[in-house]
Amino acid sequence: MKRRLHRLLVYCLLPTVYFAFLSSCSTNHHIIRYEDKFVSIDSTLAPDSLITAEIAPYKIQFSKIMDEVLAVSEQNLFKENPEGLLGNFTADATLKKAKEYCKDSCSVDICILNNGGLRNPLPKGNITRGNIFQLMPFENEIVILKMNGGDVKELLDFIANKGGMPVAGMRMKIKNNMASDVLIGDKPFDISKSYTIVTSDYLANGGDNMSFFANASRKTVIGKKLRDAIIEYLQEENKKGNSIKVKKDGRIEKVE
């Protein structure tokens, strides 16, 4: 397999190199001419039957894993602002799993993700492992941050200015691009308190211009990938006999 892949690279990918030798008896070889060209790897390139045969068993195994049905959704789940079914689903599932992972070692108040991290919608009907890899192709890990009320207020206003983001465990209104009427849990937001936020390591490290996460007084790395948490959540719901049913509940609402 390795030898044939190497041959494919030589034929299709690597530059074409011409060698000539000073004499057939000499052991000192010299490059006298070099030429390269690009070869497009697309549907116009004829498949190599040997490579196809070599890959086939692995493709079957891979497809078997990716085609595994994790759960059944009652709706198509898409991204929307200020809130969408896909964002609500991923944020709710992440918050639930993060609380379970923490147990007594930490607490979690809210979940905040970014729409850019949700790369594909989820279909109505069967949700497969492959669907979740398409939704989250990155290796982002779950991170829990403790932040003071002032920094959380900055975060909430950032969400409002963006027109909404996937959130869970909280409700807020957007008025003049600022956060208002914020509830965390069922209690009004208190700027004098600290809150814990579960998010991805990408956002925790300043991704999507969320630099204020750098002010967190405590950072807890769970050691779990966000994608794996979603897969676990779906498997658990399916095991309970529950289908996936998501609704927009007005957790983020634009008002005049």
Side-chain angles (χ1 to χ4, degrees), residues 35-90:
E35 180 180 308
D36 62 19
K37 63 180 179 180
F38 289 104
V39 178
S40 297
I41 307 297
D42 55 27
S43 59
T44 64
L45 188 67
D48 183 304
S49 59
L50 292 176
I51 294 296
T52 301
E54 292 281 4
I55 291 173
Y58 303 100
K59 186 178 179 181
I60 292 171
Q61 292 180 37
F62 180 77
S63 297
K64 186 177 180 181
I65 294 171
M66 288 299 166
D67 291 343
E68 177 191 358
V69 176
L70 303 174
V72 177
S73 173
E74 296 188 11
Q75 312 126 289
N76 291 308
L77 306 182
F78 293 98
K79 292 189 288 188
E80 292 177 272
N81 271 343
E83 67 164 321
L85 296 180
L86 187 62
N88 287 0
F89 163 72
T90 52

Side-chain angles (χ1 to χ4, degrees), residues 97-103 105-106 108 141-144 198-199 219-225:
K97 294 305 298 180
K99 287 181 176 181
E100 292 175 6
Y101 297 146
C102 272
K103 295 182 180 176
S105 62
C106 60
V108 189
E141 294 200 8
I142 290 176
V143 173
I144 296 173
V198 58
T199 187
K219 179 178 179 179
T220 304
V221 178
I222 298 296
K224 279 276 188 179
K225 288 186 174 63

Side-chain angles (χ1 to χ4, degrees), residues 166-177:
V167 303
M170 58 168 285
R171 303 176 68 87
M172 62 178 275
K173 294 180 180 178
I174 300 174
K175 186 181 294 183
N176 297 324
N177 293 328

Side-chain angles (χ1 to χ4, degrees), residues 62-188:
F62 180 77
S63 297
K64 186 177 180 181
I65 294 171
M66 288 299 166
D67 291 343
E68 177 191 358
V69 176
L70 303 174
V72 177
S73 173
E74 296 188 11
Q75 312 126 289
N76 291 308
L77 306 182
F78 293 98
K79 292 189 288 188
E80 292 177 272
N81 271 343
E83 67 164 321
L85 296 180
L86 187 62
N88 287 0
F89 163 72
T90 52
D92 285 344
T94 301
L95 180 62
K96 180 177 185 297
K97 294 305 298 180
K99 287 181 176 181
E100 292 175 6
Y101 297 146
C102 272
K103 295 182 180 176
D104 297 330
S105 62
C106 60
S107 61
V108 189
D109 295 310
I110 59 177
C111 174
I112 295 174
L113 302 174
N114 64 326
N115 274 318
L118 309 179
R119 310 301 284 191
N120 217 50
L122 291 176
K124 179 180 179 180
N126 291 342
I127 297 178
T128 65
R129 186 182 297 272
N131 291 140
I132 302 305
F133 271 76
Q134 291 172 336
L135 171 69
M136 295 182 172
F138 309 115
E139 301 299 308
N140 293 135
E141 294 200 8
I142 290 176
V143 173
I144 296 173
L145 304 165
K146 185 175 183 179
M147 301 178 66
N148 65 45
D151 289 327
V152 173
K153 178 65 168 62
E154 185 180 355
L155 169 61
L156 297 172
D157 286 338
F158 178 87
I159 293 172
N161 193 51
K162 295 270 286 188
M165 293 174 66
V167 303
M170 58 168 285
R171 303 176 68 87
M172 62 178 275
K173 294 180 180 178
I174 300 174
K175 186 181 294 183
N176 297 324
N177 293 328
M178 301 286 284
S180 69
D181 304 306
V182 179
L183 296 176
I184 294 186
D186 295 323
K187 298 179 181 178

